[in-house]
Amino acid sequence: MELGISPWPSSLCSSALDKLKAGVRKVRKIGEDDPRRIAHSFKIGLALTAVSFFYYATPLYDGFGVSAMWAVMTVVVVMEYTVGATLSKGLNRALATLIAGVLGVGAHEIAARSGGRREPIVLGLFVFILGAAATFSRFVPEIKARYDYGVMIFILTFSLVAVSSYRVEELLQLAHQRLSTVAIGVAICLATSGLVFPVWAGEELHKLVASNLEKLASFLEGLEAEYFGQKDRQRNMEGKLFLQVHKSVLNLKASEDSLLNFAKWEPRHGRFGYHHPWEQYQKLGALNRQCASSMESLASFITTFREPMSNNTDPDVSAKIRTACVEMSSGSSKALRELSTAIREMTVPNSANDHVAASLAASADLRSALSGGVALSEVTDVAAISFLLADIVGRMEEIAGSVEELAQLARFKTAEPDCGSAIKPLADDEEPTAQVAIAIDQMS
């Protein structure tokens, strides 16, 4: 009788190997999608290694003692992906530790002068009052947005200093050591984040807004090509990618607000000065979401009604409506592309005005076609789609106005015309015309 070998060990090994390969592919994809994540991990390791020497090196350890661990803790909790986030948390932590330390020492001195039995009562009263007041301040929207982390550190540090002061004799030395180590940790974080492959929150917000405009343009381009551009009346739009591209814009408010908050903390960098109008990006982001919301309504209607062009519709009216819709989609998509390019290159979006005007003219033609003696009962679906598209054109016009306002506030440069393409090369035996001669004189 032959003994059979159970297949479960090889099956288990095969399953573990497959999971390992899937994990490696996932990690590789995360790094390939944004290589800066790898750089950020490298910066965290570098900062932790640098700050750990305050604990390893004997002379430094003798100066700070066990408090050197606070520097390590500071690096762990302060170091963030962007420079603005690191600067925000670092300054909040340093200032909160300083203020809480000073108030904690002051509370200890007052409590100590009140007598031995009254000292814990006075300290407890200080902890209650300042802890309750600081906690209530976290409900204030302005403080919640920019200083919430600092208030939390203030409550923690003050409570630790005030409570430990009842048992610790050399309170000033302890407070000085902890404040020094926190400052050292913050300084290492800021140096590492700002000097080693820096990622600026302001630049990320700038790119995010421009990318959202491109997504909105992609929706309109797909609408023109795959919906109004088809000849057959039967349209199955379910699963079309262009009907999904705008949805990510609807869920970016939290990211935009976070980047805006961190961008305000950052110093001048790259093309962004000290007084860059970051609030304008928030306004532009809100307009983008409104436009994406209108696109969502239109996409839902399109996927619900697969045959909007009714057979009862007058062919001439149907052709006019289709032409107007195509022109609105085309003009709006081109305008949004131009606006996105203008933001990325920080140039005045003059070229987008023509596309905006063309879209508005097509919208006016559409209203004229629908009001020119056409029974709305015959073109109900067509009219609904047309009005939804006209609403998108209106949103696009507001976006264009907001981008122009941003260009004025941020002092975008004016795009230089391509003079070389306007001059036709001359043959060997051809004399230059007056216009070409003038152009050459201006260029020289």
Coordinates of all heavy atoms in Angstrom, one line a residue, residues 350-431:
N350 N -6.1 84.6 -22.2 CA -6.8 85.4 -23.3 C -7.4 84.6 -24.4 O -8.5 84.9 -24.9 CB -5.8 86.4 -23.9 CG -5.4 87.5 -22.9 OD1 -6.2 87.9 -22.1 ND2 -4.1 88.0 -23.0
S351 N -6.8 83.5 -24.7 CA -7.2 82.6 -25.8 C -8.5 81.9 -25.4 O -9.2 81.4 -26.3 CB -6.2 81.6 -26.2 OG -5.8 80.8 -25.0
A352 N -8.9 81.8 -24.2 CA -10.1 81.1 -23.8 C -11.3 81.9 -24.0 O -12.4 81.4 -24.1 CB -10.0 80.7 -22.3
N353 N -11.2 83.2 -24.2 CA -12.4 84.1 -24.3 C -13.1 83.8 -25.6 O -14.4 83.9 -25.6 CB -11.9 85.6 -24.3 CG -11.3 86.0 -22.9 OD1 -11.7 85.4 -21.9 ND2 -10.4 87.0 -22.9
D354 N -12.4 83.5 -26.6 CA -13.1 83.2 -27.9 C -14.0 81.9 -27.8 O -15.1 81.9 -28.3 CB -12.1 83.0 -29.0 CG -11.3 84.3 -29.3 OD1 -11.9 85.4 -29.0 OD2 -10.2 84.2 -29.9
H355 N -13.5 80.9 -27.1 CA -14.2 79.7 -26.9 C -15.4 79.9 -26.0 O -16.5 79.3 -26.2 CB -13.3 78.6 -26.4 CG -12.1 78.3 -27.2 ND1 -12.3 77.9 -28.5 CD2 -10.8 78.3 -27.0 CE1 -11.0 77.7 -29.0 NE2 -10.1 77.9 -28.1
V356 N -15.2 80.7 -25.0 CA -16.4 81.1 -24.1 C -17.5 81.8 -24.9 O -18.6 81.5 -24.8 CB -15.9 81.9 -22.9 CG1 -17.1 82.4 -22.1 CG2 -14.9 81.1 -22.1
A357 N -17.0 82.7 -25.7 CA -18.0 83.5 -26.5 C -18.7 82.6 -27.5 O -20.0 82.7 -27.7 CB -17.3 84.6 -27.3
A358 N -18.0 81.6 -28.1 CA -18.7 80.7 -29.0 C -19.7 79.8 -28.3 O -20.8 79.5 -28.9 CB -17.6 79.8 -29.7
S359 N -19.3 79.4 -27.1 CA -20.3 78.5 -26.4 C -21.5 79.3 -26.0 O -22.6 78.8 -26.1 CB -19.6 78.0 -25.1 OG -18.5 77.2 -25.4
L360 N -21.3 80.6 -25.6 CA -22.5 81.4 -25.2 C -23.4 81.7 -26.4 O -24.6 81.7 -26.3 CB -22.0 82.7 -24.6 CG -21.3 82.5 -23.2 CD1 -20.8 83.9 -22.8 CD2 -22.3 81.9 -22.2
A361 N -22.8 81.9 -27.6 CA -23.5 82.1 -28.8 C -24.3 80.8 -29.2 O -25.5 80.9 -29.6 CB -22.6 82.5 -29.9
A362 N -23.7 79.7 -29.0 CA -24.4 78.4 -29.3 C -25.6 78.2 -28.4 O -26.6 77.7 -28.7 CB -23.4 77.3 -29.3
S363 N -25.4 78.6 -27.1 CA -26.4 78.5 -26.1 C -27.6 79.4 -26.5 O -28.8 79.0 -26.3 CB -25.9 78.8 -24.7 OG -26.9 78.8 -23.8
A364 N -27.3 80.6 -27.0 CA -28.4 81.5 -27.4 C -29.1 80.9 -28.6 O -30.3 81.0 -28.7 CB -27.8 82.9 -27.7
D365 N -28.4 80.3 -29.6 CA -29.0 79.7 -30.7 C -29.9 78.6 -30.3 O -31.0 78.3 -30.9 CB -27.9 79.2 -31.7 CG -27.1 80.3 -32.3 OD1 -27.6 81.5 -32.3 OD2 -26.0 80.1 -32.8
L366 N -29.5 77.8 -29.3 CA -30.3 76.7 -28.8 C -31.6 77.2 -28.2 O -32.7 76.7 -28.5 CB -29.5 75.9 -27.7 CG -30.3 74.8 -27.1 CD1 -30.6 73.7 -28.1 CD2 -29.4 74.2 -25.9
R367 N -31.5 78.3 -27.4 CA -32.8 78.8 -26.9 C -33.7 79.3 -28.0 O -34.9 79.2 -27.9 CB -32.4 80.0 -25.9 CG -31.8 79.5 -24.6 CD -31.8 80.6 -23.6 NE -31.0 81.8 -24.0 CZ -29.7 82.0 -23.8 NH1 -29.1 81.0 -23.1 NH2 -29.1 83.0 -24.2
S368 N -33.1 79.9 -29.0 CA -33.9 80.4 -30.1 C -34.6 79.2 -30.9 O -35.7 79.3 -31.3 CB -33.0 81.2 -31.1 OG -33.7 81.6 -32.2
A369 N -33.8 78.1 -31.0 CA -34.4 77.0 -31.7 C -35.5 76.3 -30.9 O -36.5 75.9 -31.5 CB -33.3 75.9 -32.0
L370 N -35.4 76.3 -29.6 CA -36.4 75.7 -28.8 C -37.7 76.6 -28.6 O -38.7 76.1 -28.3 CB -35.8 75.3 -27.4 CG -34.8 74.2 -27.4 CD1 -34.2 74.0 -26.0 CD2 -35.4 72.9 -27.9
S371 N -37.5 77.9 -28.8 CA -38.6 78.8 -28.6 C -39.2 79.2 -29.9 O -40.1 80.0 -29.9 CB -38.1 80.0 -27.8 OG -37.1 80.7 -28.6
G372 N -38.7 78.7 -31.0 CA -39.2 79.1 -32.3 C -40.4 78.3 -32.8 O -40.4 77.7 -33.8
G373 N -41.5 78.3 -32.0 CA -42.7 77.6 -32.4 C -42.6 76.1 -32.3 O -43.4 75.4 -32.9
V374 N -41.7 75.6 -31.5 CA -41.6 74.1 -31.3 C -42.4 73.7 -30.1 O -42.3 74.3 -29.0 CB -40.1 73.7 -31.1 CG1 -40.0 72.2 -31.0 CG2 -39.3 74.1 -32.3
A375 N -43.2 72.7 -30.3 CA -44.0 72.1 -29.1 C -43.1 71.4 -28.2 O -42.4 70.4 -28.6 CB -45.1 71.2 -29.6
L376 N -43.0 71.8 -27.0 CA -42.1 71.2 -26.0 C -42.4 69.8 -25.7 O -41.6 68.9 -25.3 CB -42.0 72.0 -24.7 CG -41.3 73.4 -24.8 CD1 -41.4 74.0 -23.4 CD2 -39.9 73.3 -25.3
S377 N -43.7 69.4 -25.9 CA -44.1 68.0 -25.7 C -43.5 67.1 -26.7 O -43.4 65.9 -26.4 CB -45.7 67.9 -25.8 OG -46.1 68.4 -27.1
E378 N -43.0 67.6 -27.8 CA -42.4 66.8 -28.8 C -40.9 66.6 -28.6 O -40.3 65.7 -29.1 CB -42.6 67.3 -30.2 CG -44.1 67.4 -30.6 CD -44.3 67.9 -32.0 OE1 -43.2 68.3 -32.6 OE2 -45.4 68.0 -32.5
V379 N -40.3 67.6 -27.9 CA -38.9 67.6 -27.7 C -38.6 67.6 -26.2 O -37.6 68.3 -25.8 CB -38.2 68.7 -28.4 CG1 -38.3 68.5 -29.9 CG2 -38.9 70.0 -28.0
T380 N -39.3 66.9 -25.4 CA -39.1 67.0 -23.9 C -37.7 66.6 -23.5 O -37.0 67.3 -22.8 CB -40.2 66.2 -23.2 OG1 -41.5 66.7 -23.6 CG2 -40.0 66.3 -21.7
D381 N -37.4 65.4 -23.9 CA -36.0 64.9 -23.6 C -34.9 65.7 -24.2 O -33.9 66.0 -23.5 CB -35.9 63.4 -24.1 CG -36.9 62.5 -23.4 OD1 -37.5 62.9 -22.3 OD2 -37.2 61.4 -23.9
V382 N -35.1 66.1 -25.4 CA -34.1 67.0 -26.1 C -33.9 68.3 -25.3 O -32.8 68.8 -25.1 CB -34.5 67.2 -27.5 CG1 -33.5 68.1 -28.2 CG2 -34.6 65.9 -28.3
A383 N -35.1 68.9 -25.0 CA -35.0 70.2 -24.2 C -34.3 70.0 -22.9 O -33.5 70.9 -22.5 CB -36.4 70.7 -24.1
A384 N -34.6 68.9 -22.2 CA -34.0 68.7 -20.9 C -32.4 68.6 -21.0 O -31.7 69.2 -20.3 CB -34.5 67.4 -20.3
I385 N -32.0 67.8 -22.0 CA -30.5 67.6 -22.2 C -29.9 69.0 -22.6 O -28.9 69.4 -22.2 CB -30.3 66.6 -23.3 CG1 -30.6 65.2 -22.7 CG2 -28.8 66.6 -23.7 CD1 -30.4 64.1 -23.7
S386 N -30.6 69.7 -23.5 CA -30.1 71.0 -23.9 C -30.0 72.0 -22.8 O -29.0 72.7 -22.7 CB -31.0 71.5 -25.1 OG -31.1 70.6 -26.1
F387 N -31.0 72.0 -22.0 CA -31.0 73.0 -20.8 C -29.9 72.6 -19.8 O -29.2 73.5 -19.2 CB -32.3 73.0 -20.2 CG -33.4 73.7 -21.0 CD1 -34.7 73.3 -21.0 CD2 -33.1 74.8 -21.8 CE1 -35.7 74.0 -21.7 CE2 -34.0 75.5 -22.5 CZ -35.3 75.0 -22.5
L388 N -29.7 71.3 -19.6 CA -28.6 70.9 -18.7 C -27.3 71.2 -19.3 O -26.4 71.7 -18.5 CB -28.7 69.4 -18.5 CG -29.9 68.9 -17.6 CD1 -30.0 67.3 -17.6 CD2 -29.7 69.4 -16.2
L389 N -27.1 71.1 -20.6 CA -25.9 71.5 -21.2 C -25.7 73.0 -21.2 O -24.5 73.5 -20.9 CB -25.8 70.9 -22.6 CG -24.5 71.2 -23.4 CD1 -23.3 70.5 -22.7 CD2 -24.6 70.6 -24.8
A390 N -26.7 73.7 -21.3 CA -26.6 75.2 -21.3 C -26.3 75.6 -19.8 O -25.5 76.6 -19.7 CB -28.0 75.8 -21.7
D391 N -26.7 74.9 -18.8 CA -26.3 75.2 -17.5 C -24.8 75.0 -17.3 O -24.2 75.7 -16.6 CB -27.2 74.3 -16.5 CG -26.8 74.6 -15.1 OD1 -27.1 75.7 -14.6 OD2 -26.3 73.7 -14.4
I392 N -24.3 73.9 -17.9 CA -22.9 73.7 -17.8 C -22.1 74.8 -18.5 O -21.0 75.2 -18.0 CB -22.5 72.3 -18.5 CG1 -23.1 71.2 -17.7 CG2 -21.0 72.1 -18.6 CD1 -22.9 69.8 -18.3
V393 N -22.6 75.3 -19.6 CA -22.0 76.5 -20.2 C -21.9 77.7 -19.3 O -20.9 78.4 -19.2 CB -22.7 76.8 -21.5 CG1 -22.1 78.1 -22.1 CG2 -22.5 75.6 -22.5
G394 N -23.0 77.9 -18.6 CA -23.1 79.0 -17.6 C -22.1 78.8 -16.5 O -21.4 79.8 -16.1
R395 N -21.9 77.6 -16.0 CA -20.9 77.3 -15.0 C -19.5 77.5 -15.5 O -18.6 78.1 -14.8 CB -21.0 75.9 -14.5 CG -22.4 75.5 -13.9 CD -22.7 76.2 -12.6 NE -23.9 75.7 -12.0 CZ -24.5 76.3 -11.0 NH1 -23.9 77.3 -10.4 NH2 -25.6 75.8 -10.5
M396 N -19.3 77.1 -16.8 CA -18.0 77.3 -17.4 C -17.7 78.8 -17.5 O -16.5 79.2 -17.3 CB -18.0 76.7 -18.8 CG -16.7 76.7 -19.6 SD -16.6 78.2 -20.6 CE -18.0 78.1 -21.6
E397 N -18.6 79.6 -17.8 CA -18.4 81.1 -17.9 C -18.0 81.6 -16.5 O -17.1 82.5 -16.5 CB -19.7 81.8 -18.4 CG -19.5 83.3 -18.6 CD -20.8 84.0 -19.0 OE1 -21.8 83.3 -18.9 OE2 -20.7 85.2 -19.4
E398 N -18.6 81.2 -15.5 CA -18.2 81.6 -14.1 C -16.8 81.1 -13.8 O -16.0 81.9 -13.2 CB -19.2 81.0 -13.1 CG -20.6 81.6 -13.2 CD -21.5 81.0 -12.2 OE1 -21.1 80.0 -11.5 OE2 -22.7 81.4 -12.1
I399 N -16.4 79.9 -14.2 CA -15.1 79.4 -14.0 C -14.1 80.3 -14.7 O -13.0 80.6 -14.2 CB -15.0 78.0 -14.4 CG1 -15.8 77.1 -13.5 CG2 -13.5 77.5 -14.5 CD1 -15.9 75.6 -14.0
A400 N -14.4 80.7 -16.0 CA -13.5 81.5 -16.7 C -13.3 82.9 -16.1 O -12.2 83.4 -16.0 CB -14.0 81.7 -18.2
G401 N -14.4 83.4 -15.5 CA -14.2 84.7 -14.8 C -13.4 84.5 -13.6 O -12.6 85.4 -13.2
S402 N -13.5 83.4 -12.9 CA -12.7 83.2 -11.7 C -11.2 83.0 -12.0 O -10.4 83.5 -11.3 CB -13.2 82.0 -10.9 OG -12.5 81.7 -9.7
V403 N -10.9 82.3 -13.1 CA -9.5 82.2 -13.5 C -8.9 83.5 -13.9 O -7.8 83.8 -13.6 CB -9.4 81.2 -14.7 CG1 -8.0 81.1 -15.2 CG2 -9.9 79.8 -14.2
E404 N -9.7 84.3 -14.6 CA -9.2 85.7 -14.9 C -8.9 86.5 -13.7 O -7.9 87.3 -13.6 CB -10.2 86.4 -15.8 CG -10.3 85.8 -17.2 CD -11.3 86.6 -18.1 OE1 -11.9 87.6 -17.6 OE2 -11.5 86.2 -19.3
E405 N -9.8 86.4 -12.7 CA -9.6 87.1 -11.4 C -8.3 86.6 -10.7 O -7.5 87.4 -10.2 CB -10.8 86.9 -10.5 CG -10.7 87.7 -9.2 CD -11.9 87.6 -8.4 OE1 -12.9 86.9 -8.8 OE2 -11.9 88.1 -7.2
L406 N -8.1 85.3 -10.8 CA -6.9 84.7 -10.2 C -5.6 85.2 -11.0 O -4.6 85.5 -10.4 CB -6.9 83.2 -10.3 CG -5.6 82.4 -9.9 CD1 -5.3 82.6 -8.5 CD2 -5.8 80.9 -10.2
A407 N -5.7 85.3 -12.3 CA -4.6 85.8 -13.1 C -4.3 87.3 -12.7 O -3.1 87.6 -12.7 CB -5.0 85.7 -14.6
Q408 N -5.3 88.1 -12.4 CA -5.0 89.4 -12.0 C -4.4 89.5 -10.6 O -3.5 90.3 -10.4 CB -6.3 90.2 -12.1 CG -6.9 90.4 -13.5 CD -8.2 91.2 -13.5 OE1 -8.7 91.5 -12.4 NE2 -8.8 91.4 -14.7
L409 N -5.0 88.8 -9.7 CA -4.5 88.8 -8.3 C -3.1 88.3 -8.2 O -2.3 88.8 -7.5 CB -5.4 88.1 -7.4 CG -6.8 88.7 -7.2 CD1 -7.7 87.7 -6.4 CD2 -6.8 90.0 -6.6
A410 N -2.8 87.2 -8.9 CA -1.5 86.5 -8.9 C -0.5 87.1 -9.9 O 0.7 86.7 -9.9 CB -1.6 85.0 -9.1
R411 N -1.0 88.1 -10.7 CA -0.1 88.7 -11.7 C 0.5 87.7 -12.6 O 1.7 87.6 -12.8 CB 1.0 89.6 -11.0 CG 0.4 90.7 -10.1 CD 1.5 91.5 -9.4 NE 1.0 92.5 -8.6 CZ 1.7 93.4 -7.9 NH1 3.0 93.3 -7.9 NH2 1.1 94.3 -7.2
F412 N -0.4 86.9 -13.2 CA 0.1 86.0 -14.3 C 0.7 86.8 -15.4 O 0.3 87.9 -15.7 CB -1.1 85.1 -14.8 CG -1.5 84.1 -13.8 CD1 -0.9 83.9 -12.6 CD2 -2.5 83.2 -14.1 CE1 -1.3 82.9 -11.7 CE2 -2.9 82.2 -13.3 CZ -2.3 82.1 -12.1
K413 N 1.7 86.2 -16.0 CA 2.3 86.8 -17.2 C 1.5 86.7 -18.4 O 0.7 85.8 -18.6 CB 3.7 86.2 -17.4 CG 3.7 84.7 -17.8 CD 5.1 84.2 -18.0 CE 5.0 82.7 -18.3 NZ 6.3 82.1 -18.5
T414 N 1.7 87.6 -19.4 CA 0.9 87.5 -20.6 C 1.7 86.6 -21.6 O 2.9 86.7 -21.8 CB 0.8 88.9 -21.2 OG1 0.2 89.8 -20.3 CG2 0.0 88.9 -22.5
A415 N 0.9 85.7 -22.2 CA 1.5 84.7 -23.1 C 2.0 85.5 -24.3 O 1.3 86.3 -24.9 CB 0.5 83.7 -23.5
E416 N 3.3 85.2 -24.7 CA 3.8 85.9 -25.9 C 3.4 85.2 -27.2 O 3.4 84.0 -27.3 CB 5.4 85.9 -25.8 CG 5.9 86.6 -24.6 CD 7.4 86.6 -24.6 OE1 8.0 86.0 -25.5 OE2 8.0 87.2 -23.7
P417 N 2.9 85.9 -28.2 CA 2.5 85.3 -29.4 C 3.7 84.7 -30.2 O 4.8 85.2 -30.1 CB 1.9 86.5 -30.2 CG 2.6 87.7 -29.7 CD 2.8 87.4 -28.2
D418 N 3.4 83.7 -30.9 CA 4.5 83.0 -31.7 C 4.7 83.8 -33.0 O 3.9 83.6 -34.0 CB 4.1 81.6 -32.0 CG 5.2 80.8 -32.6 OD1 6.3 81.3 -32.8 OD2 5.0 79.6 -33.0
C419 N 5.6 84.7 -33.0 CA 5.8 85.6 -34.2 C 6.4 84.8 -35.4 O 6.1 85.1 -36.5 CB 6.7 86.8 -33.9 SG 6.1 87.8 -32.6
G420 N 7.2 83.8 -35.0 CA 7.9 83.1 -36.1 C 6.9 82.3 -37.0 O 7.1 82.2 -38.3
S421 N 5.8 81.8 -36.5 CA 4.8 81.1 -37.3 C 4.0 82.0 -38.2 O 3.4 81.5 -39.2 CB 3.9 80.3 -36.4 OG 3.2 81.2 -35.6
A422 N 4.0 83.3 -38.0 CA 3.2 84.2 -38.8 C 4.0 84.7 -40.0 O 3.4 85.4 -40.8 CB 2.8 85.4 -37.9
I423 N 5.2 84.4 -40.1 CA 6.1 84.9 -41.2 C 6.4 83.7 -42.2 O 6.9 82.7 -41.8 CB 7.4 85.5 -40.7 CG1 7.0 86.7 -39.8 CG2 8.2 86.0 -41.9 CD1 8.3 87.3 -39.2
K424 N 6.0 83.9 -43.4 CA 6.2 82.8 -44.4 C 7.7 82.9 -44.9 O 8.1 84.0 -45.3 CB 5.2 83.0 -45.6 CG 5.4 82.0 -46.6 CD 4.4 82.2 -47.8 CE 4.6 81.2 -48.9 NZ 3.6 81.4 -50.0
P425 N 8.4 81.8 -45.0 CA 9.8 81.9 -45.5 C 9.7 82.3 -47.0 O 8.9 82.0 -47.8 CB 10.2 80.4 -45.4 CG 9.3 79.8 -44.4 CD 8.0 80.5 -44.5
L426 N 10.8 83.1 -47.4 CA 10.9 83.6 -48.7 C 11.7 82.7 -49.6 O 12.7 82.0 -49.1 CB 11.5 85.0 -48.7 CG 10.8 86.1 -48.0 CD1 11.6 87.4 -48.0 CD2 9.4 86.3 -48.6
A427 N 11.4 82.6 -50.9 CA 12.2 81.9 -51.8 C 13.5 82.7 -52.1 O 13.6 83.9 -51.8 CB 11.4 81.6 -53.1
D428 N 14.4 82.1 -52.8 CA 15.7 82.7 -53.1 C 15.5 84.0 -54.0 O 16.2 85.0 -53.8 CB 16.7 81.7 -53.7 CG 17.0 80.6 -52.8 OD1 16.9 80.8 -51.6 OD2 17.4 79.5 -53.3
D429 N 14.6 83.9 -54.9 CA 14.4 85.0 -55.8 C 13.2 85.9 -55.5 O 12.7 86.7 -56.3 CB 14.3 84.5 -57.3 CG 13.1 83.5 -57.4 OD1 12.6 83.1 -56.3 OD2 12.7 83.2 -58.5
E430 N 12.7 85.8 -54.3 CA 11.5 86.5 -53.9 C 11.9 87.7 -53.0 O 12.7 87.6 -52.1 CB 10.5 85.6 -53.1 CG 9.2 86.3 -52.8 CD 8.3 85.3 -52.1 OE1 8.7 84.2 -51.9 OE2 7.1 85.7 -51.7
E431 N 11.3 88.9 -53.3 CA 11.5 90.1 -52.5 C 10.6 90.1 -51.3 O 9.4 89.7 -51.4 CB 11.3 91.3 -53.4 CG 12.2 91.5 -54.5 CD 13.6 91.8 -54.0 OE1 13.8 92.3 -52.9 OE2 14.6 91.4 -54.7

